[in-house]
Amino acid sequence: MISGHDFAARLGRHGFDFFTGVPCSLIEDLIAVLERGARAPYVAAVREDAAVGVAAGAWFGGRRPVVLMQNSGLGTSLNALASLSLMYGLPALLVVTWRGFGGKDAPEHILTGEISPKLLELLGVPYRVLAADSLDADLAWAAVEMDARRSPVALLVPPKIVETGGVEAAAATGGGATHVAAPPAPDVPLPPATMPRLTALGIALKAFGDDPVAHANGYICRESFSLADRPQSFYMIGSMGLAPAIGLGLALTQPARRAVVFDGDGNLLMNLGILAMIAAQRPANFVHLVFDNEVYGSTGNQASLSRGVRLDRLAGAAGFATATAVTEPWALESALRAAVATDGPHFVLVKVTAEEADVPRIPYTPAVLRDRFRAAVLGG
């Protein structure tokens, strides 16, 4: 069997230097070792698709990322893999534990165990089945394959391949840093929005200059593109809800640069757990803007739950350094000046009207968007 220490060391020797994922007991020792790693971060994720997004941001930041998950997480990750990792061509190693292997496991794992290889085949993700004596060869294959293909690759890990129970989880030792949440927002309703999103985006683009910005999918991308197309803008075509996960991975791998997210209310509501992930990591260079029009604009203006839920209060309670809400252009300008001048993570809820500008679709292919954004991040 492979020890957790040996697995982690060999990952490092093969150039893997960023780790994120959701735990599984089949690799508990590996995760315990990674949690203690000083050279390469391990980012605990609330969902496997969020981990896929964080890994994408880490790759943009120059790292070779690994996503760890149970095979049940493949189902959770299907859209993220299909419309982010595979569509854009973003390399990552997926270490996927194989619960239900051979039809022997708890009932909830049997079907997933049967179809796990088929899921990877349907996605077109190359994979190998890890054996106790194949780790070095499999990691060498993975590093070459993912870089050459610009694609995720996977290692399926059956039971009793990696040692368990020999390394105490870092959480059991206690002692993480305690973060103070932002002061709660005043318990008064916000005035009705009068600011068009196009106006708000123009203010934000001016405030952040050449900072890299991960955009949520939909009209946020298109309106931002119409105002100022720039290589530092990563436009999301699919993967609704993952822009802040990408921003988090970028912030952690490029701490000397500000990482900005232009998000929407529907996008954030789809991935609320990312607020806890951001607050737990406490990246000082992270700024999260949510342009909240209280509707799903791209699908017919159906009501969003943000009509009755203050998203800035959720961010403040999660532990952001600041969380504020604005409805006027001057207030947005003031909030962004403060965010630029102080350590984050910062959260700015920007209440905007449901008006959508008549703007064109973004003409670039996913590969072009990927390459120019990564070049701007690493070259800037």
Side-chain angles (χ1 to χ4, degrees), residues 19-52:
F19 307 96
T20 181
V22 177
C24 176
S25 60
L26 298 188
I27 51 170
E28 62 182 54
D29 281 18
L30 170 60
I31 293 174
V33 174
L34 294 175
E35 286 176 331
R36 292 176 167 82
R39 186 182 66 86
Y42 175 79
V43 179
V46 295
R47 289 169 52 100
E48 293 84 357
D49 52 358
V52 170

mmCIF file of all heavy atoms in Angstrom, residues 19-52:
data_model
loop_
_atom_site.group_PDB
_atom_site.id
_atom_site.type_symbol
_atom_site.label_atom_id
_atom_site.label_comp_id
_atom_site.label_asym_id
_atom_site.label_seq_id
_atom_site.Cartn_x
_atom_site.Cartn_y
_atom_site.Cartn_z
ATOM 1 N N PHE A 19 -3.424 21.873 -4.294
ATOM 2 C CA PHE A 19 -4.339 20.785 -3.979
ATOM 3 C C PHE A 19 -5.648 21.334 -3.420
ATOM 4 O O PHE A 19 -5.640 22.232 -2.575
ATOM 5 C CB PHE A 19 -3.704 19.821 -2.976
ATOM 6 C CG PHE A 19 -2.352 19.325 -3.413
ATOM 7 C CD1 PHE A 19 -1.195 19.944 -2.961
ATOM 8 C CD2 PHE A 19 -2.238 18.267 -4.304
ATOM 9 C CE1 PHE A 19 0.052 19.516 -3.383
ATOM 10 C CE2 PHE A 19 -0.994 17.828 -4.733
ATOM 11 C CZ PHE A 19 0.155 18.449 -4.270
ATOM 12 N N THR A 20 -6.737 20.761 -3.899
ATOM 13 C CA THR A 20 -8.048 21.157 -3.401
ATOM 14 C C THR A 20 -8.989 19.978 -3.561
ATOM 15 O O THR A 20 -8.746 19.093 -4.384
ATOM 16 C CB THR A 20 -8.580 22.388 -4.161
ATOM 17 O OG1 THR A 20 -9.861 22.772 -3.624
ATOM 18 C CG2 THR A 20 -8.734 22.120 -5.648
ATOM 19 N N GLY A 21 -10.037 19.944 -2.766
ATOM 20 C CA GLY A 21 -10.961 18.838 -2.917
ATOM 21 C C GLY A 21 -11.880 18.641 -1.733
ATOM 22 O O GLY A 21 -11.920 19.448 -0.801
ATOM 23 N N VAL A 22 -12.624 17.540 -1.815
ATOM 24 C CA VAL A 22 -13.577 17.130 -0.782
ATOM 25 C C VAL A 22 -13.113 15.768 -0.269
ATOM 26 O O VAL A 22 -12.761 14.891 -1.063
ATOM 27 C CB VAL A 22 -15.002 17.047 -1.355
ATOM 28 C CG1 VAL A 22 -15.997 16.560 -0.313
ATOM 29 C CG2 VAL A 22 -15.426 18.420 -1.895
ATOM 30 N N PRO A 23 -13.101 15.535 1.041
ATOM 31 C CA PRO A 23 -12.481 14.321 1.579
ATOM 32 C C PRO A 23 -13.199 13.028 1.212
ATOM 33 O O PRO A 23 -14.395 12.999 0.933
ATOM 34 C CB PRO A 23 -12.544 14.544 3.100
ATOM 35 C CG PRO A 23 -12.718 16.004 3.288
ATOM 36 C CD PRO A 23 -13.504 16.476 2.104
ATOM 37 N N CYS A 24 -12.423 11.943 1.230
ATOM 38 C CA CYS A 24 -12.928 10.579 1.171
ATOM 39 C C CYS A 24 -12.058 9.739 2.092
ATOM 40 O O CYS A 24 -10.833 9.928 2.147
ATOM 41 C CB CYS A 24 -12.888 10.027 -0.247
ATOM 42 S SG CYS A 24 -13.399 8.275 -0.339
ATOM 43 N N SER A 25 -12.671 8.808 2.789
ATOM 44 C CA SER A 25 -11.925 7.992 3.748
ATOM 45 C C SER A 25 -10.856 7.141 3.080
ATOM 46 O O SER A 25 -9.873 6.754 3.734
ATOM 47 C CB SER A 25 -12.887 7.100 4.535
ATOM 48 O OG SER A 25 -13.600 6.233 3.665
ATOM 49 N N LEU A 26 -11.002 6.835 1.781
ATOM 50 C CA LEU A 26 -10.006 5.996 1.104
ATOM 51 C C LEU A 26 -8.662 6.697 0.949
ATOM 52 O O LEU A 26 -7.637 6.031 0.733
ATOM 53 C CB LEU A 26 -10.511 5.561 -0.270
ATOM 54 C CG LEU A 26 -11.770 4.695 -0.318
ATOM 55 C CD1 LEU A 26 -12.025 4.197 -1.736
ATOM 56 C CD2 LEU A 26 -11.667 3.515 0.643
ATOM 57 N N ILE A 27 -8.639 8.028 1.046
ATOM 58 C CA ILE A 27 -7.372 8.771 0.951
ATOM 59 C C ILE A 27 -7.221 9.724 2.137
ATOM 60 O O ILE A 27 -6.616 10.784 2.022
ATOM 61 C CB ILE A 27 -7.263 9.535 -0.386
ATOM 62 C CG1 ILE A 27 -8.509 10.397 -0.656
ATOM 63 C CG2 ILE A 27 -7.012 8.577 -1.547
ATOM 64 C CD1 ILE A 27 -8.363 11.339 -1.831
ATOM 65 N N GLU A 28 -7.747 9.337 3.282
ATOM 66 C CA GLU A 28 -7.715 10.244 4.432
ATOM 67 C C GLU A 28 -6.291 10.569 4.862
ATOM 68 O O GLU A 28 -6.005 11.708 5.281
ATOM 69 C CB GLU A 28 -8.494 9.645 5.608
ATOM 70 C CG GLU A 28 -7.944 8.335 6.137
ATOM 71 C CD GLU A 28 -8.790 7.779 7.279
ATOM 72 O OE1 GLU A 28 -10.011 7.609 7.102
ATOM 73 O OE2 GLU A 28 -8.212 7.515 8.346
ATOM 74 N N ASP A 29 -5.365 9.614 4.757
ATOM 75 C CA ASP A 29 -3.985 9.910 5.146
ATOM 76 C C ASP A 29 -3.326 10.885 4.178
ATOM 77 O O ASP A 29 -2.582 11.781 4.590
ATOM 78 C CB ASP A 29 -3.168 8.619 5.204
ATOM 79 C CG ASP A 29 -3.417 7.828 6.479
ATOM 80 O OD1 ASP A 29 -4.444 8.089 7.151
ATOM 81 O OD2 ASP A 29 -2.596 6.940 6.805
ATOM 82 N N LEU A 30 -3.578 10.723 2.895
ATOM 83 C CA LEU A 30 -3.032 11.662 1.914
ATOM 84 C C LEU A 30 -3.532 13.069 2.199
ATOM 85 O O LEU A 30 -2.748 14.034 2.204
ATOM 86 C CB LEU A 30 -3.431 11.229 0.504
ATOM 87 C CG LEU A 30 -3.130 12.238 -0.620
ATOM 88 C CD1 LEU A 30 -1.649 12.544 -0.701
ATOM 89 C CD2 LEU A 30 -3.670 11.729 -1.956
ATOM 90 N N ILE A 31 -4.819 13.212 2.432
ATOM 91 C CA ILE A 31 -5.367 14.549 2.699
ATOM 92 C C ILE A 31 -4.789 15.122 3.984
ATOM 93 O O ILE A 31 -4.456 16.316 4.050
ATOM 94 C CB ILE A 31 -6.907 14.486 2.746
ATOM 95 C CG1 ILE A 31 -7.455 14.160 1.353
ATOM 96 C CG2 ILE A 31 -7.485 15.811 3.244
ATOM 97 C CD1 ILE A 31 -8.947 13.924 1.315
ATOM 98 N N ALA A 32 -4.622 14.299 5.008
ATOM 99 C CA ALA A 32 -4.048 14.782 6.265
ATOM 100 C C ALA A 32 -2.636 15.318 6.054
ATOM 101 O O ALA A 32 -2.241 16.329 6.647
ATOM 102 C CB ALA A 32 -4.046 13.663 7.299
ATOM 103 N N VAL A 33 -1.850 14.646 5.211
ATOM 104 C CA VAL A 33 -0.498 15.130 4.913
ATOM 105 C C VAL A 33 -0.564 16.434 4.121
ATOM 106 O O VAL A 33 0.166 17.397 4.404
ATOM 107 C CB VAL A 33 0.292 14.057 4.143
ATOM 108 C CG1 VAL A 33 1.650 14.614 3.692
ATOM 109 C CG2 VAL A 33 0.496 12.817 5.004
ATOM 110 N N LEU A 34 -1.439 16.493 3.123
ATOM 111 C CA LEU A 34 -1.549 17.704 2.308
ATOM 112 C C LEU A 34 -2.009 18.899 3.141
ATOM 113 O O LEU A 34 -1.578 20.030 2.905
ATOM 114 C CB LEU A 34 -2.513 17.473 1.151
ATOM 115 C CG LEU A 34 -2.075 16.454 0.092
ATOM 116 C CD1 LEU A 34 -3.171 16.244 -0.936
ATOM 117 C CD2 LEU A 34 -0.784 16.892 -0.595
ATOM 118 N N GLU A 35 -2.881 18.661 4.100
ATOM 119 C CA GLU A 35 -3.350 19.754 4.960
ATOM 120 C C GLU A 35 -2.197 20.410 5.723
ATOM 121 O O GLU A 35 -2.260 21.596 6.049
ATOM 122 C CB GLU A 35 -4.379 19.231 5.968
ATOM 123 C CG GLU A 35 -5.740 18.931 5.377
ATOM 124 C CD GLU A 35 -6.685 18.327 6.397
ATOM 125 O OE1 GLU A 35 -6.222 17.644 7.335
ATOM 126 O OE2 GLU A 35 -7.904 18.536 6.248
ATOM 127 N N ARG A 36 -1.168 19.644 6.011
ATOM 128 C CA ARG A 36 -0.020 20.163 6.758
ATOM 129 C C ARG A 36 1.067 20.714 5.854
ATOM 130 O O ARG A 36 2.075 21.226 6.326
ATOM 131 C CB ARG A 36 0.579 19.055 7.622
ATOM 132 C CG ARG A 36 -0.290 18.597 8.768
ATOM 133 C CD ARG A 36 0.384 17.428 9.488
ATOM 134 N NE ARG A 36 -0.245 17.140 10.766
ATOM 135 C CZ ARG A 36 -1.346 16.422 10.919
ATOM 136 N NH1 ARG A 36 -1.963 15.922 9.859
ATOM 137 N NH2 ARG A 36 -1.848 16.213 12.121
ATOM 138 N N GLY A 37 0.889 20.596 4.544
ATOM 139 C CA GLY A 37 1.946 20.980 3.614
ATOM 140 C C GLY A 37 2.258 22.458 3.682
ATOM 141 O O GLY A 37 1.364 23.306 3.639
ATOM 142 N N ALA A 38 3.545 22.762 3.779
ATOM 143 C CA ALA A 38 3.965 24.163 3.837
ATOM 144 C C ALA A 38 4.273 24.720 2.455
ATOM 145 O O ALA A 38 4.105 25.910 2.193
ATOM 146 C CB ALA A 38 5.200 24.293 4.730
ATOM 147 N N ARG A 39 4.724 23.860 1.522
ATOM 148 C CA ARG A 39 5.151 24.341 0.210
ATOM 149 C C ARG A 39 3.983 24.552 -0.740
ATOM 150 O O ARG A 39 3.954 25.498 -1.515
ATOM 151 C CB ARG A 39 6.135 23.337 -0.408
ATOM 152 C CG ARG A 39 6.764 23.809 -1.711
ATOM 153 C CD ARG A 39 7.682 22.750 -2.279
ATOM 154 N NE ARG A 39 6.941 21.562 -2.674
ATOM 155 C CZ ARG A 39 6.363 21.431 -3.874
ATOM 156 N NH1 ARG A 39 6.430 22.415 -4.756
ATOM 157 N NH2 ARG A 39 5.718 20.322 -4.185
ATOM 158 N N ALA A 40 3.005 23.657 -0.699
ATOM 159 C CA ALA A 40 1.877 23.718 -1.625
ATOM 160 C C ALA A 40 0.580 23.725 -0.826
ATOM 161 O O ALA A 40 0.399 22.902 0.073
ATOM 162 C CB ALA A 40 1.909 22.531 -2.581
ATOM 163 N N PRO A 41 -0.319 24.637 -1.118
ATOM 164 C CA PRO A 41 -1.541 24.745 -0.311
ATOM 165 C C PRO A 41 -2.527 23.619 -0.596
ATOM 166 O O PRO A 41 -2.582 23.072 -1.695
ATOM 167 C CB PRO A 41 -2.123 26.090 -0.735
ATOM 168 C CG PRO A 41 -1.608 26.304 -2.127
ATOM 169 C CD PRO A 41 -0.247 25.672 -2.157
ATOM 170 N N TYR A 42 -3.295 23.263 0.441
ATOM 171 C CA TYR A 42 -4.471 22.411 0.279
ATOM 172 C C TYR A 42 -5.694 23.257 0.637
ATOM 173 O O TYR A 42 -5.786 23.783 1.757
ATOM 174 C CB TYR A 42 -4.412 21.172 1.178
ATOM 175 C CG TYR A 42 -5.687 20.358 1.098
ATOM 176 C CD1 TYR A 42 -5.922 19.510 0.017
ATOM 177 C CD2 TYR A 42 -6.680 20.460 2.070
ATOM 178 C CE1 TYR A 42 -7.098 18.778 -0.085
ATOM 179 C CE2 TYR A 42 -7.864 19.737 1.985
ATOM 180 C CZ TYR A 42 -8.063 18.896 0.910
ATOM 181 O OH TYR A 42 -9.233 18.180 0.805
ATOM 182 N N VAL A 43 -6.613 23.402 -0.293
ATOM 183 C CA VAL A 43 -7.805 24.220 -0.094
ATOM 184 C C VAL A 43 -9.000 23.283 0.066
ATOM 185 O O VAL A 43 -9.407 22.607 -0.889
ATOM 186 C CB VAL A 43 -8.027 25.178 -1.284
ATOM 187 C CG1 VAL A 43 -9.291 26.006 -1.070
ATOM 188 C CG2 VAL A 43 -6.814 26.079 -1.475
ATOM 189 N N ALA A 44 -9.547 23.233 1.271
ATOM 190 C CA ALA A 44 -10.726 22.408 1.514
ATOM 191 C C ALA A 44 -11.916 23.022 0.798
ATOM 192 O O ALA A 44 -12.205 24.220 0.939
ATOM 193 C CB ALA A 44 -10.997 22.317 3.013
ATOM 194 N N ALA A 45 -12.615 22.208 0.018
ATOM 195 C CA ALA A 45 -13.747 22.684 -0.781
ATOM 196 C C ALA A 45 -15.049 22.169 -0.194
ATOM 197 O O ALA A 45 -15.099 21.081 0.393
ATOM 198 C CB ALA A 45 -13.614 22.228 -2.239
ATOM 199 N N VAL A 46 -16.108 22.937 -0.379
ATOM 200 C CA VAL A 46 -17.427 22.527 0.104
ATOM 201 C C VAL A 46 -18.132 21.605 -0.875
ATOM 202 O O VAL A 46 -19.023 20.846 -0.491
ATOM 203 C CB VAL A 46 -18.314 23.758 0.387
ATOM 204 C CG1 VAL A 46 -17.751 24.577 1.528
ATOM 205 C CG2 VAL A 46 -18.479 24.622 -0.873
ATOM 206 N N ARG A 47 -17.732 21.669 -2.138
ATOM 207 C CA ARG A 47 -18.304 20.820 -3.191
ATOM 208 C C ARG A 47 -17.202 20.528 -4.201
ATOM 209 O O ARG A 47 -16.278 21.327 -4.384
ATOM 210 C CB ARG A 47 -19.463 21.521 -3.916
ATOM 211 C CG ARG A 47 -20.731 21.694 -3.129
ATOM 212 C CD ARG A 47 -21.705 22.634 -3.850
ATOM 213 N NE ARG A 47 -21.933 22.234 -5.232
ATOM 214 C CZ ARG A 47 -23.012 21.542 -5.641
ATOM 215 N NH1 ARG A 47 -23.930 21.178 -4.765
ATOM 216 N NH2 ARG A 47 -23.160 21.231 -6.917
ATOM 217 N N GLU A 48 -17.348 19.407 -4.895
ATOM 218 C CA GLU A 48 -16.332 19.031 -5.864
ATOM 219 C C GLU A 48 -16.287 19.984 -7.054
ATOM 220 O O GLU A 48 -15.204 20.257 -7.594
ATOM 221 C CB GLU A 48 -16.580 17.599 -6.335
ATOM 222 C CG GLU A 48 -16.372 16.545 -5.269
ATOM 223 C CD GLU A 48 -17.585 16.319 -4.369
ATOM 224 O OE1 GLU A 48 -18.611 17.043 -4.547
ATOM 225 O OE2 GLU A 48 -17.510 15.440 -3.492
ATOM 226 N N ASP A 49 -17.433 20.503 -7.494
ATOM 227 C CA ASP A 49 -17.393 21.440 -8.620
ATOM 228 C C ASP A 49 -16.706 22.745 -8.232
ATOM 229 O O ASP A 49 -16.010 23.357 -9.054
ATOM 230 C CB ASP A 49 -18.784 21.687 -9.202
ATOM 231 C CG ASP A 49 -19.821 22.093 -8.175
ATOM 232 O OD1 ASP A 49 -19.517 22.154 -6.970
ATOM 233 O OD2 ASP A 49 -20.980 22.335 -8.582
ATOM 234 N N ALA A 50 -16.863 23.165 -6.977
ATOM 235 C CA ALA A 50 -16.130 24.338 -6.514
ATOM 236 C C ALA A 50 -14.629 24.074 -6.543
ATOM 237 O O ALA A 50 -13.836 24.955 -6.902
ATOM 238 C CB ALA A 50 -16.579 24.729 -5.109
ATOM 239 N N ALA A 51 -14.213 22.861 -6.178
ATOM 240 C CA ALA A 51 -12.799 22.509 -6.233
ATOM 241 C C ALA A 51 -12.274 22.556 -7.660
ATOM 242 O O ALA A 51 -11.138 23.003 -7.908
ATOM 243 C CB ALA A 51 -12.579 21.123 -5.625
ATOM 244 N N VAL A 52 -13.074 22.117 -8.619
ATOM 245 C CA VAL A 52 -12.679 22.200 -10.026
ATOM 246 C C VAL A 52 -12.454 23.662 -10.425
ATOM 247 O O VAL A 52 -11.493 23.994 -11.132
ATOM 248 C CB VAL A 52 -13.739 21.532 -10.924
ATOM 249 C CG1 VAL A 52 -13.477 21.817 -12.405
ATOM 250 C CG2 VAL A 52 -13.771 20.021 -10.676
#
